[in-house]
Amino acid sequence: MSDLEIETEGINDAHDGSLDSVTSVFPSTASEDPQKKIVVPELLAILPVRDTVVFPGTIVPLTIGREKSKRLVDAVITNTKIVGIVAQRHSDVEDPALEDLYRVGTAAAILKLLKLPDGTHSIIVHGLVRFGIEAITQTEPYLIGRCHTREDTVSESTELDALVQTARQQAQRVIELSPGVPEQAAEVLGSIDKPGALCDFLAANLQLNLIQRQEILETFDVVERLKKTAAHLAKQIDVLELSAKIQNDVKGQVEKQQREYFLHEQMRAIQKELGQTDGRDVEINELREDIRKAKMPEGVEKEANRELDRLTKIPQASPEYSNSVDYIEWLCELPWSISTEDHLDIKQAEKILDADHFDLEKVKKRILEFLAVRKLNPKGRSPILCFSGPPGVGKTSLGQSIARAMGRKFIRMALGGVRDEADIRGHRRTYVGSMPGRIVQEIRKAGANNPVFMLDEVDKLGQDFRGDPSSALLEVLDPAQNHSFQDHYLGVPFDLSRAMFIATANYMDAIPAPLLDRMEILEIPGYTSFDKLAIARTYLVPRQREENGLTPAQLKIDDSALSAIIEGYTREAGVRNLEREIGSICRGVAARIAQRRKHPSVIHKADLSEFLGPVKIEPELALRTSTPGVVTGLAWTPAGGDILFVEATAMPGKGHLQLTGQIGDVMKESAHTAYSLVRSRAKQLGIDQKRLSDQDFHIHVPAGAIPKDGPSAGITMFTALVSLLTNRHCKKDVAMTGEITLRGLVLPIGGLKSKALAAHRAGIHTIVIPHRNEKDLIDIPPDIRKQMKFIPVEKAEQVLTNALAQPTRANAPKRARSRKRG
Ligand code: ADP
C-alpha cells in the first residue's frame, strides 16, 4: 500500500513512552534522505483532530478520545501505521464530515500507541508530508479519503536566502528572550536546513492559533511561508521584549525597596547591638514631647501630630523630612499658651511715661486713658493707637514705655518696604524655602502671645502685583478677625487678639484708608528749640553718657553748647540727630580719656567745632529774601514742618508760565491759579499790563531734587509774582501758608503746628495764616505763640499788605525815575 519507509526505532528510544516527557513539538531526528520523495497513498485513513495542526517533520503527542478515532488507530497501527491528520474547522463537531474539515492535512506515521486506564488512547505521531483531500470515500468504521501529496514549491533565490537568514536570527532572538526554552533549541534550529521545514518547525513552536497555523500549512510556496512566519516571529519578539522590560522594571523597584529595607533593618540591628537608638526615632520622640509641652489648641495639636505621623514615613535623607521637622518645630515654638502677666497700675504707668518722655502731655494723657479702659474692660474693643509724626519725636520710645508700664514684651516690626502679602502672612509650604510671615516670626521671637506689637511706618506700606499687604494687616488689626489669624505657612489659625497693636506713621495722608479707619491718630508734630534743650539736658545727655561709659564728673554739656548744637548742627522736628551729635561728643571724650589725653569736663559752645566739626546749618533766610520775587512759604513734609522758598523771575516772552522744582500736580494748579489771579487783578495791584503780555514767567521751588506737592503754597506763589512785578521785596522774617482761589480768597491748610515749629526754628517772627486756621493756634506751644506773630487773613490782598515791603527808591519803577529826571 505504501512505498514509504520510516525509521522509527531511534525516536522510540528517545521517548520511552511516558507521555509526560513529551511536552513540546519536536522536529523529527529521522535521517531523511533528501532524494527520497514521500508520497501519500491514494486512499488514506483520515484522523480529524481538534485545535491542532501537525506539521511535517515534527513529532507530536495526540490524545484520542473518540471511538471512531480509536478504531482507526487500532486498525492502522497493525497495518501501515500511516494516518492523514486533518484539523476540524470547528472543535464542537463530534463526527465531522468532509465539509467540517480543512482540505489540507499532514500524513503522519504513528510511532507509539499508549492505552490509558481511563479509556483514552495516546499516540505519538511523526508528521511526514502535506496532502490534500479530494473526497471522502468511506465514513465507517472510520473516515477514508482520496488524497494526493502536496509538495513544497521552492526555487533557489537571494530572497529565499535572505528570508531564511532573517527567520533564523529572529528565532534565535525568541529563544534568548523565552526563559522556558532549553538551550538545545538553538542547536536543533541550526540542524534544520530545508527552508520549508524550518518554517514548519517554527510554526509548530510559535504561539499561534489554529487559523494561523492552518494558513501556514496551506502555504505551499516556501518564500511565502517564510514571509508569514517572519511576521509572526517579529510580533512574538515585540511581545517578549516588552514583557522582559516590564519584568525588569518591576524587579528593579522591588529590589531597591527590598535593599533599602534590608539595610535599614541591618542598621537598626547594629545600633541596637551597640546600645544606640535610631537618631530618627530619638528626633521623632523629642518632637512628640515638644508637641505635648507646647500646649497648643486642640486643632493645632492634631495637625502637628498628623505631620509627625507623616514624618515617620519619610526617609530621613529626603529634603521633605527636614521641611517637615522645621514645620513641627515652628508649631512647637510658638507661644500658643504663654502670656506675660499684666500688672496695670495707672499711677505707675504715668510715672514710667513721665520718666521716659519730656512733655507730650496730650499724648500721654490719651495713652493713660486707653490703658485705664483696657484695665476695666480687658475684652472690650479698644481702638488701635497710631502715633503720627516726623522721625525722632519719640513714637517708638512711647511704645516701649507702654510695654514697660504693662509688664509686656515689646515687638517693633518695620513695615517700610513691605510690598508683598507674603511678608505679612508667609508662603504656603509648597514653596521651596517657605517661612512663616513676619507677624508669626516676631511673635515667636517675643515668646509671648500678648506683646505690645508696634507696626512701624504703616504709611510706608507698599503694594504691588503680589497682593496687597494692607489687607493682610487689616486682618491682623481687626478684633473681629485676629483671634484666628491665618498664616499661609502655618496653615492653622493663631490667636493675635491678646496682643496690643500700636502703629506709627510719619505722614497720615499716606496711610491706606481702610487702615486709617481702624486707628485713632495721636499726632506728635515735633519740638521747639526750647523743648529740645530740655530733652537734651534731662534725657539725651544722661543716656548717651551712660552708653559711652562716662560719669557726670567726666562730662557735662552746658546749655549754650546744647542750643548751639540744636541751631547749628541739626535741622529736624525730632531729636534723633541731636541725640546723634551728643553721642559724637561723648565718644570723642571717651576716646580722649582712654588715650589719657586732655579733655574738657564741661563742653561749652566754643568746644563744639573740636568734636563736631564746623557748623553745618547756616541761616540762609536773609540772603534769600533780599530780592523781589523770592518769598518764604511753609511746608509739611514727612520729616516734619519746614520752610520753603518760592522764587519767581521774568524774561522776554508772551506771558507763558513755567514751573520747576519737582512740584506735583496740585501745587502746579495752585501756581496757575495764583498767576491767573495776578493777571486778572493786575490793575488793582499796580502791575503794568504790558509786562504781563511781553514777558514769560518762571516759578521755581528749591531744593529742586525734593518732590513737593499740596495747595498750601498758593498764597506764597501769588506773593512771589506780585513781589516780582511790583519790585517790592518780601520782609525777611515773614513766612506764609494758605491755599488761594481765583476769587482771591485764602483757604485753610493742615499741619499748622509743625509749620509754626519749623518757622520758629528758621528764625521767622511773623506767619501769615488763613483766617480759618486761627482756631488751631491753641495747639501751638505757648512760648512759641509768645515769640511769634500770627496774622490771620481772608483775602489775598491782606497777604500782600503784611508781607511785602513798600517800594524803595532803588526798587521804584524805571518810568518814575526817568520822569523824575525829566
Ligand atoms: P521715632 O520712633 O518717632 O522715630 P524714637 O522713639 O526712636 O523716635 O526717638 C528717638 C530718640 O529720641 C529716642 O532715644 C527717644 O527716647 C528720644 N526722644 C524723643 N522724644 C522724646 C521726649 N519727648 N522725651 C525724651 N526723649 C525723647
Side-chain angles (χ1 to χ4, degrees):
M1 194 176 165
S2 161
D3 53 357
L4 188 74
E5 279 179 31
I6 306 164
E7 224 180 275
T8 57
E9 291 305 306
I11 296 163
N12 282 347
D13 285 346
H15 303 285
D16 60 0
S18 116
L19 264 181
D20 290 346
S21 64
V22 187
T23 50
S24 187
V25 184
F26 287 82
S28 73
T29 48
S31 54
E32 290 164 20
D33 183 350
Q35 305 305 324
K36 195 182 267 176
K37 271 197 179 166
I38 299 169
V39 178
V40 172
E42 203 183 333
L43 289 176
L44 187 61
I46 302 293
L47 177 66
V49 287
R50 292 171 166 131
D51 298 326
T52 308
V53 174
V54 175
F55 285 93
T58 59
I59 292 172
V60 189
L62 295 173
T63 306
I64 309 292
R66 282 178 275 193
E67 287 308 316
K68 208 168 182 175
S69 301
K70 284 183 191 166
R71 285 200 291 275
L72 181 148
V73 172
D74 285 340
V76 172
I77 196 87
T78 51
N79 195 341
T80 60
K81 292 188 178 150
I82 302 290
V83 286
I85 298 173
V86 185
Q88 280 182 217
R89 289 181 192 272
H90 301 286
S91 58
D92 52 352
V93 179
E94 200 46 42
D95 186 15
L98 181 61
E99 61 274 17
D100 299 319
L101 298 172
Y102 285 107
R103 289 301 185 91
V104 178
T106 299
I110 298 175
L111 303 181
K112 189 144 189 153
L113 165 66
L114 212 77
K115 293 188 177 174
L116 299 172
D118 67 353
T120 53
H121 291 180
S122 222
I123 54 169
I124 294 172
V125 297
H126 176 200
L128 301 170
V129 69
R130 287 169 169 80
F131 72 92
I133 308 176
E134 289 161 19
I136 297 292
T137 54
Q138 181 190 318
T139 55
E140 293 300 334
Y142 47 82
L143 292 177
I144 291 185
R146 193 165 60 247
C147 305
H148 60 278
T149 314
R150 296 300 308 250
E151 302 280 352
D152 288 354
T153 49
V154 58
S155 52
E156 297 290 325
S157 71
T158 335
E159 189 188 10
L160 182 77
D161 291 345
L163 283 167
V164 169
Q165 199 178 336
T166 309
R168 281 189 197 283
Q169 283 167 355
Q170 285 176 314
Q172 187 63 37
R173 182 82 187 120
V174 171
I175 292 169
E176 282 166 18
L177 288 170
S178 313
V181 175
E183 280 174 22
Q184 296 90 322
E187 283 170 36
V188 175
L189 197 70
S191 68
I192 305 172
D193 37 276
K194 273 192 178 177
L198 180 70
C199 285
D200 291 345
F201 172 64
L202 290 172
N205 282 288
L206 282 173
Q207 285 177 6
L208 302 178
N209 60 28
L210 179 74
I211 295 171
Q212 289 166 332
R213 284 171 197 261
Q214 185 67 31
E215 193 191 348
I216 290 194
L217 189 72
E218 290 180 13
T219 309
F220 310 114
D221 183 84
V222 174
V223 169
E224 277 309 305
R225 200 189 298 165
L226 271 166
K227 283 182 186 167
K228 285 176 184 167
T229 311
H232 290 308
L233 276 166
K235 206 167 147 203
Q236 184 96 12
I237 289 172
D238 277 354
V239 172
L240 284 169
E241 278 179 346
L242 192 64
S243 71
K245 185 177 176 301
I246 292 168
Q247 275 184 11
N248 252 338
D249 288 354
V250 173
K251 203 171 142 216
Q253 268 178 18
V254 172
E255 271 177 3
K256 188 168 170 257
Q257 277 176 7
Q258 275 178 343
R259 201 169 150 264
E260 276 177 9
Y261 174 77
F262 185 65
L263 288 174
H264 267 120
E265 286 303 301
Q266 262 187 338
M267 201 163 76
R268 271 172 207 247
I270 292 170
Q271 280 170 339
K272 213 170 158 192
E273 269 315 299
L274 293 174
Q276 297 169 347
T277 2
D278 190 345
R280 177 179 145 128
D281 286 350
V282 172
E283 187 164 30
I284 286 172
N285 285 338
E286 278 174 8
L287 287 174
R288 183 160 290 127
E289 185 58 18
D290 288 348
I291 293 174
R292 202 184 53 75
K293 279 196 215 146
K295 297 214 185 90
M296 307 169 183
E298 201 180 318
V300 180
E301 187 165 341
K302 220 164 148 192
E303 178 60 34
N305 280 319
R306 190 178 315 150
E307 186 69 23
L308 193 67
D309 285 348
R310 212 171 72 82
L311 189 68
T312 55
K313 293 177 196 119
I314 310 173
Q316 203 173 6
S318 91
E320 220 185 311
Y321 183 88
S322 55
N323 288 346
S324 195
V325 171
D326 283 351
Y327 175 68
I328 298 174
E329 282 178 346
W330 265 106
L331 288 183
C332 292
E333 284 168 19
L334 283 179
W336 299 97
S337 43
I338 304 173
S339 341
T340 51
E341 201 184 325
D342 281 358
H343 40 79
L344 239 186
D345 176 345
I346 302 298
K347 277 232 164 72
Q348 178 69 15
E350 189 174 359
K351 261 194 207 149
I352 290 176
L353 283 176
D354 284 341
D356 293 349
H357 298 94
F358 169 82
D359 193 30
L360 300 178
E361 292 308 329
K362 219 167 145 186
V363 178
K364 285 181 191 165
K365 190 167 156 255
R366 181 65 191 97
I367 292 173
L368 291 173
E369 282 168 13
F370 179 88
L371 295 179
V373 172
R374 255 189 107 100
K375 189 177 177 184
L376 293 177
N377 181 10
K379 293 226 149 62
R381 287 193 178 189
S382 40
I384 310 289
L385 295 184
C386 175
F387 302 138
S388 160
V393 292
K395 301 183 294 293
T396 313
S397 75
L398 276 173
Q400 282 165 333
S401 298
I402 293 176
R404 198 147 75 88
M406 296 178 84
R408 291 191 176 199
K409 302 258 180 190
F410 180 75
I411 294 177
R412 176 172 169 263
M413 175 175 149
L415 292 175
V418 169
R419 357 190 82 250
D420 187 349
E421 195 203 351
D423 281 344
I424 308 257
R425 250 188 224 287
H427 281 294
R428 280 176 215 291
R429 284 212 290 139
T430 41
Y431 278 79
V432 177
S434 55
M435 286 264 280
R438 299 264 303 276
I439 301 273
V440 168
Q441 288 186 26
E442 297 290 348
I443 291 275
R444 179 173 81 160
K445 245 190 260 166
N449 59 16
N450 62 340
V452 170
F453 202 130
M454 179 163 265
L455 301 165
D456 221 3
E457 304 191 327
V458 270
D459 54 335
K460 303 282 181 341
L461 210 60
Q463 183 177 356
D464 69 8
F465 60 94
R466 284 166 293 190
D468 179 0
S470 69
S471 63
L473 256 200
L474 267 184
E475 194 185 318
V476 171
L477 296 179
D478 185 356
Q481 295 184 54
N482 68 7
H483 56 84
S484 61
F485 170 71
Q486 282 281 353
D487 182 276
H488 288 325
Y489 177 84
L490 292 187
V492 288
F494 188 91
D495 183 0
L496 287 178
S497 63
R498 292 150 160 272
M500 174 176 169
F501 289 98
I502 299 177
T504 80
N506 288 148
Y507 206 38
M508 246 167 58
D509 292 3
I511 303 174
L515 276 179
L516 194 61
D517 216 37
R518 296 256 180 328
M519 299 193 287
E520 179 180 333
I521 306 286
L522 299 182
E523 274 189 77
I524 311 176
Y527 300 111
T528 62
S529 303
F530 174 77
D531 293 343
K532 288 184 187 176
L533 181 63
I535 293 174
R537 201 192 294 133
T538 23
Y539 298 89
L540 307 183
V541 174
R543 194 181 309 151
Q544 284 301 322
R545 201 159 44 198
E546 199 184 319
E547 270 181 27
N548 290 286
L550 298 170
T551 61
Q554 286 171 315
L555 175 70
K556 287 190 187 70
I557 305 178
D558 80 356
D559 282 3
S560 72
L562 289 175
S563 294
I565 300 172
I566 293 165
E567 305 301 337
Y569 290 86
T570 63
R571 188 164 141 194
E572 58 177 348
V575 291
R576 193 170 283 170
N577 290 332
L578 177 60
E579 186 169 14
R580 215 170 278 153
E581 299 294 341
I582 292 171
S584 298
I585 296 177
C586 294
R587 278 195 301 280
V589 171
R592 267 156 232 225
I593 290 174
Q595 294 162 357
R596 298 181 195 283
R597 279 166 55 197
K598 237 185 105 214
H599 68 90
S601 60
V602 179
I603 305 282
H604 302 286
K605 187 176 173 185
D607 302 318
L608 291 182
S609 60
E610 192 187 334
F611 290 94
L612 303 178
V615 167
K616 289 176 188 164
I617 290 149
E618 299 280 359
E620 53 183 346
L621 202 64
L623 199 77
R624 291 271 189 151
T625 51
S626 56
T627 37
V630 179
V631 178
T632 310
L634 294 172
W636 190 27
T637 71
D642 205 353
I643 58 167
L644 130 171
F645 298 100
V646 171
E647 301 174 348
T649 188
M651 61 215 94
K654 289 188 173 153
H656 294 305
L657 178 66
Q658 194 186 350
L659 302 167
T660 54
Q662 284 253 33
I663 62 182
D665 287 346
V666 178
M667 204 181 239
K668 274 184 193 156
E669 283 177 6
S670 35
H672 283 288
T673 311
Y675 182 50
S676 298
L677 189 64
V678 171
R679 289 177 72 117
S680 65
R681 302 215 172 154
K683 207 166 166 201
Q684 289 136 274
L685 294 168
I687 295 168
D688 181 3
Q689 286 281 1
K690 209 161 166 286
R691 273 189 85 181
L692 286 172
S693 48
D694 288 355
Q695 289 188 319
D696 280 349
F697 297 91
H698 184 164
I699 294 180
H700 178 63
V701 189
I706 300 165
K708 309 160 196 80
D709 205 359
S712 71
I715 59 168
T716 321
M717 296 190 177
F718 172 75
T719 310
L721 284 169
V722 177
S723 156
L724 175 78
L725 287 162
T726 57
N727 265 344
R728 291 160 69 191
H729 67 77
C730 185
K731 294 177 194 162
K732 69 178 180 186
D733 66 341
V734 174
M736 60 192 70
T737 178
E739 183 175 346
I740 199 162
T741 74
L742 280 178
R743 288 184 293 151
L745 298 179
V746 179
L747 299 188
I749 44 79
L752 184 64
K753 184 177 173 189
S754 304
K755 288 176 177 173
L757 294 178
H760 182 258
R761 279 200 299 277
I764 302 271
H765 294 121
T766 307
I767 306 182
V768 179
I769 60 166
H771 177 72
R772 276 161 63 190
N773 277 112
E774 208 178 346
K775 63 177 184 344
D776 299 329
L777 290 176
I778 186 112
D779 290 337
I780 292 170
D783 53 324
I784 295 214
R785 248 186 296 160
K786 251 184 256 157
Q787 289 172 33
M788 294 178 83
K789 194 170 152 201
F790 294 89
I791 307 176
V793 296
E794 277 176 281
K795 295 197 173 130
E797 286 83 3
Q798 290 171 277
V799 181
L800 302 179
T801 335
N802 287 295
L804 296 186
Q806 285 308 312
T808 58
R809 267 189 153 260
N811 285 342
K814 272 184 190 154
R815 217 161 4 114
R817 259 194 278 166
S818 56
R819 206 184 293 149
K820 229 181 173 183
R821 259 190 219 149

